[in-house]
Amino acid sequence: MSPELRNCSICGRLFGYQQGRTVCSRCREQEEEQYMKVRRYVRDHPGATVFEVAEETGVDEELILQFLREGRLQSKGFVEVLQCQRCGAHIDSGNYCANCLRELDSQIRGVISPARSKPAAPEKRASRDRMHIKDQS
Ligand SMILES: [Zn+2]
Ligand SMILES: [Zn+2]
């Protein structure tokens, strides 16, 4: 009946394990404080980078990233963290910007329903480009 005991991943103290918790309540509280600090800073300085926020608040960069990963922080303020994985555009959430999402989506659709017309008629092209054929090969 006694709660499962775990070592806090930060201070190593034993604590009664609760679902999803890897740190003791004391560290959790500290984390919460740091979270509030970060939150406040980002609210006052929208567009701040993680590095900047870490510098200004004294909160560990890793912890800030963790907040972001957990979705506890609005990513809006962190322009350097969330970028489109395809073109690098700044995005508010997800992995891709709206443009790339649209493109990827149409690409996927093209794969599913094969567009036969896609290989731009190589013969026709070759005959039209005949003058340049010596430059090839
Ligand atoms: Zn602890
Ligand atoms: Zn993009």
Side-chain angles (χ1 to χ4, degrees):
M1 287 300 276
S2 61
E4 188 187 346
L5 289 180
R6 295 232 176 161
N7 286 102
C8 168
S9 67
I10 295 175
C11 70
R13 205 163 66 100
L14 278 175
F15 71 102
Y17 177 71
Q18 286 172 283
Q19 187 106 40
R21 297 267 167 99
T22 58
V23 299
C24 69
S25 57
R26 202 192 295 168
C27 290
R28 188 84 198 169
E29 249 168 59
Q30 275 174 13
E31 204 177 275
E32 210 60 35
E33 260 171 51
Q34 297 191 304
Y35 169 67
M36 292 313 288
K37 251 197 250 178
V38 170
R39 234 182 95 107
R40 219 172 300 133
Y41 186 84
V42 174
R43 195 194 52 209
D44 294 343
H45 304 81
T49 66
V50 169
F51 178 74
E52 187 186 330
V53 175
E55 279 259 305
E56 292 299 317
T57 60
V59 176
D60 199 59
E61 221 172 296
E62 257 311 302
L63 189 57
I64 299 173
L65 289 173
Q66 187 195 308
F67 292 149
L68 276 173
R69 276 195 298 268
E70 290 172 351
R72 299 173 70 199
L73 277 178
Q74 297 291 320
S75 52
K76 228 174 186 117
F78 293 99
V79 288
E80 283 182 9
V81 168
L82 281 181
Q83 292 185 328
C84 172
Q85 289 181 6
R86 197 155 165 272
C87 72
H90 296 151
I91 50 177
D92 294 336
S93 62
N95 296 321
Y96 301 105
C97 69
N99 279 342
C100 289
L101 272 180
R102 212 174 306 133
E103 275 181 46
L104 287 171
D105 190 51
S106 62
Q107 268 178 24
I108 289 166
R109 239 170 268 191
V111 170
I112 290 170
S113 55
R116 283 265 159 70
S117 60
K118 207 200 160 196
E123 286 116 328
K124 215 192 263 174
R125 240 203 126 213
S127 65
R128 200 177 56 206
D129 289 349
R130 189 171 279 179
M131 304 284 262
H132 303 285
I133 228 156
K134 62 179 161 118
D135 289 333
Q136 293 173 356
S137 98

